Amino acid sequence: MKRRDFLKRTTAMGGLSLLGPLGQLAYTRPCQAAAPAFSDYKAMVCVFLYGGNDPFNMLIPYASAPGRGYTDYASVRGSLAVADTDLGLSSVTSGNTNLNQGSLGSGSANPYNLNQRHSSAYTRGLYPLTAKGIDLAVNGIMPELAQLIHDDRVSIVANTGTLVEPVSRADIHAGSAELPKFLFAHDHQQRELQTGRADDLGNIGWAGRIADAWNDINNSNPIGLNLSYLNSALMLVGRNSSPLVLKTDSPPSIGHLRTGVSNDRDDRRGLFNALSGVQGNTGRLDFTAANTPTTSDYFKDLYNRLLLKSVSTFDFLESSWQATQIDFATTDSYGQALFSIPTNEQLGFSSNIKGTLIEQLESVTKMIHMGASGVLGPGYNRQIFLVRMDGFDTHASQAQNHPLLLRELSIGLWKFQKALEELGYAQQVTTFSMSDFGRTLTNNGDGTDHAWASNQLVMGGVGNHSAGSLDGGKLFGTLPDLRLGGVDDYADKGRYIPTTAQDQVNAAIARWFGVDDSLMRSLFPNLVNFQTGADFDSAYADLFV
């Protein structure tokens, strides 16, 4: 087999991700502590919005205080400003946490968008959150998100972003502030959010470091701790661990739900056989260490071990997936099957959503069920997922593309939460968003530019505010003063300075997940910069009851 063909096939299969980056394949392990002896099940799900989501047109400023209200927002936003028209959440909800499916459908009967072009629906109105004591309003294109907030399933973290330490406009202009590296640059800001180090571009993922520290987590199950969709996310990559990468673009005909399990088993077996000298690629081979062929070629031996783990892991996952069936009684916003993807006719849009987030969250739901219910084996009680939505670097196409992204985000979160509630896992799963950065409040004529602080979402629980659950329906953090060149503006374009570090948010979720303070200090070394005095607890975002 030619090296070029080998690399193409292994990259397409995602199998290499199982043993980590090639530069780390030394087969030696540092001293590691045993994972905590958890008796319960919990999962973290990161929804990463790649490209930099615009927070101001997702959650519209609606305060009465000077500098933080709708007038301040609209006067700067110009043609991209969402209209101050209360669309009335009750018109699309039945008052019992369900959307009013009976009034939905295509055409003029659709109260979501009145059959307008999605660019028109984007700015036509909003759902105020003032009844919840939150000085924001949800874009009218996201009624599911508004309902989740009203039902105490989702909270908002305001004005968060990458930070090394608390900084002010005065610090920045005096040159005394230690700022994150390469502000406003996509790759670097993504890396800093996913490594927990805004001052170090050479680190590994913070969830990967959890997997390194908890090296025997989940009873050493081959599925591991971290699972990523579509590609290997840095957040999940450690020194001696790497995520299982699942695909959703070519699901096989197994299981009731879509699956990320690759359908190229014969390709993987053929590749293994080509490297090991075994003839044929049919049947179930005995891929045990004792039966792994060895050769005099180090390159082949190395990749034999890689593919051994890949094939055995995917075989195990495939058999587990086939053994699990889920039929949801809950329907979606349009009264259809819960994880169906609405058509553009149902949406009333001239273009349709892509559906990739919905597909990923459907697969995550099944993986959570397989872990929590014991299908993946005894002692499998912790999982970390990263799913991705691309396309948020909208610039001049914001009015055309951002509404489709927000619509899918709202629908996807609703479907996922309702699925977890039906299965009984809602209080055991915390879902949170991250994005490269926010966007400028200023409008350059047809779009917005890279900025710094943003608003993020945290979802979980069933709204009962029980001990240890997400404190849902709340606003955490401080909304910025929107005045250009004001106290919270980095310069004069509405690039606002974060007042809460994303590390503080991620640390709070990791603590809920079971990470202790000792490990936390290594996951987020800059967390100490945000504590009050000697009180390390004060550095955590206060998200949970």
Side-chain angles (χ1 to χ4, degrees):
M1 179 177 292
K2 294 182 179 179
R3 180 176 182 275
R4 178 182 301 172
D5 293 337
F6 170 82
L7 292 174
K8 286 172 62 178
R9 293 174 69 179
T10 51
T11 301
M13 292 184 290
L16 294 183
S17 68
L18 291 168
L19 289 185
L22 297 182
Q24 299 170 8
L25 289 172
Y27 293 98
T28 59
R29 289 186 178 275
C31 294
Q32 295 165 312
F38 297 118
S39 59
D40 59 345
Y41 174 88
K42 287 185 177 180
M44 292 191 288
V45 181
C46 175
V47 179
F48 205 103
L49 311 177
Y50 281 89
N53 180 39
D54 179 359
F56 299 113
N57 271 27
M58 179 175 76
L59 297 166
I60 295 89
Y62 218 65
S64 57
R68 291 175 168 82
Y70 178 84
T71 301
D72 302 284
Y73 153 81
S75 63
V76 177
R77 261 298 150 108
S79 61
L80 278 178
V82 176
D84 186 12
T85 302
D86 185 350
L87 298 177
L89 189 60
S90 61
S91 68
V92 290
T93 62
S94 54
N96 60 354
T97 75
N98 291 313
L99 293 178
N100 190 359
Q101 297 163 351
S103 66
L104 297 183
S106 61
S108 60
N110 189 339
Y112 280 43
N113 46 52
L114 301 181
N115 201 31
Q116 299 182 38
R117 290 181 57 83
H118 52 277
S119 56
S120 301
Y122 181 50
T123 57
R124 75 184 181 92
L126 40 74
Y127 302 110
L129 298 175
T130 48
K132 300 293 293 181
I134 298 174
D135 291 330
L136 294 168
V138 179
N139 190 308
I141 214 164
M142 306 180 79
E144 296 92 349
L145 175 60
Q147 187 65 49
L148 288 168
I149 296 169
H150 274 278
D151 293 339
D152 296 346
R153 267 64 168 182
V154 168
S155 283
I156 302 163
V157 185
N159 210 44
T160 182
T162 55
L163 284 172
V164 179
E165 60 183 9
V167 297
S168 67
R169 176 183 171 90
D171 295 332
I172 294 171
H173 285 253
S176 60
E178 183 175 2
L179 299 178
K181 295 183 181 297
F182 296 99
L183 277 174
F184 322 130
H186 290 290
D187 291 350
H188 297 93
Q189 293 303 292
Q190 292 168 10
R191 174 176 288 272
E192 291 168 26
L193 289 166
Q194 295 193 33
T195 62
R197 292 297 303 270
D199 56 345
D200 183 358
L201 295 178
N203 220 306
I204 54 175
W206 59 263
R209 298 202 294 278
I210 296 176
D212 285 347
W214 295 352
N215 66 304
D216 60 350
I217 190 67
N218 295 335
N219 204 21
S220 300
N221 190 290
I223 302 301
L225 175 67
N226 294 337
L227 298 96
S228 178
Y229 282 82
L230 304 182
N231 63 13
S232 182
L234 177 61
M235 187 183 99
L236 307 180
V237 176
R239 295 288 179 202
N240 301 284
S241 62
S242 206
L244 178 65
V245 180
L246 304 179
K247 300 192 294 186
T248 61
D249 55 344
S250 55
S253 300
I254 61 174
H256 180 67
L257 302 180
R258 299 181 191 90
T259 174
V261 180
S262 177
N263 198 25
D264 48 19
R265 180 176 61 191
D266 286 345
D267 273 354
R268 285 183 278 112
R269 292 185 185 283
L271 182 55
F272 181 89
N273 295 339
L275 288 171
S276 63
V278 176
Q279 298 299 312
N281 66 346
T282 60
R284 187 170 292 276
L285 303 180
D286 182 6
F287 290 113
T288 61
N291 290 296
T292 303
T294 58
T295 73
S296 59
D297 188 325
Y298 177 78
F299 177 76
K300 287 185 177 180
D301 284 347
L302 177 64
Y303 281 94
N304 281 350
R305 291 190 286 270
L306 273 170
L307 291 171
L308 166 64
K309 185 169 184 179
S310 173
V311 173
S312 61
T313 299
F314 275 95
D315 278 348
F316 171 70
L317 181 55
E318 182 181 42
S319 63
S320 300
W321 192 277
Q322 287 177 316
T324 305
Q325 294 282 342
I326 306 177
D327 293 293
F328 290 105
T330 307
T331 54
D332 74 354
S333 306
Y334 296 92
Q336 305 300 311
L338 183 56
F339 279 104
S340 62
I341 299 173
T343 64
N344 62 299
E345 288 82 9
Q346 288 174 317
L347 294 174
F349 284 173
S350 53
S351 300
N352 204 7
I353 60 176
K354 291 183 178 179
T356 53
L357 176 66
I358 295 171
E359 291 174 347
Q360 291 173 80
L361 291 175
E362 182 179 21
S363 183
V364 170
T365 300
K366 190 165 184 178
M367 290 299 298
I368 286 172
H369 180 61
M370 289 161 59
S373 65
V375 172
L376 293 179
Y380 194 88
N381 47 26
R382 286 295 185 274
Q383 290 178 294
I384 304 176
F385 299 88
L386 188 143
V387 299
R388 61 182 294 148
M389 277 191 81
D390 295 300
F392 284 89
D393 193 26
T394 53
H395 287 286
S397 62
Q398 180 162 335
Q400 289 71 44
N401 294 340
H402 200 225
L404 296 174
L405 295 167
L406 293 185
R407 189 77 195 96
E408 181 168 357
L409 179 60
S410 181
I411 292 172
L413 291 177
W414 173 270
K415 290 173 180 284
F416 187 48
Q417 177 67 17
K418 292 304 170 182
L420 295 176
E421 289 183 16
E422 181 172 330
L423 294 172
Y425 304 134
Q427 298 206 91
Q428 298 163 267
V429 179
T430 296
T431 304
F432 62 103
S433 67
M434 288 200 294
S435 192
D436 313 16
F437 35 62
R439 314 295 294 193
T440 56
L441 184 60
T442 53
N443 173 2
N444 59 21
D446 50 10
T448 57
D449 293 322
H450 302 182
W452 191 357
S454 188
N455 297 325
Q456 301 299 341
L457 307 173
V458 184
M459 182 173 76
V462 293
N464 62 0
H465 298 276
S466 59
S469 65
L470 175 71
D471 196 4
K474 300 290 181 63
L475 175 70
F476 297 101
T478 304
L479 294 169
D481 185 321
L482 301 176
R483 286 171 283 201
L484 299 184
V487 65
D488 291 328
D489 196 351
Y490 176 83
D492 58 1
K493 292 186 177 181
R495 287 189 170 109
Y496 299 107
I497 303 164
T499 46
T500 298
Q502 185 65 42
D503 288 354
Q504 295 178 270
V505 178
N506 295 345
I509 299 170
R511 176 188 253 186
W512 166 87
F513 191 67
V515 174
D516 61 25
D517 286 350
S518 176
L519 176 56
M520 198 76 71
R521 292 174 186 273
S522 67
L523 300 183
F524 305 105
N526 295 321
L527 201 60
V528 296
N529 298 335
F530 300 91
Q531 71 184 48
T532 302
D535 181 14
F536 188 64
D537 280 358
S538 63
Y540 292 92
D542 191 18
L543 304 178
F544 296 90
V545 179

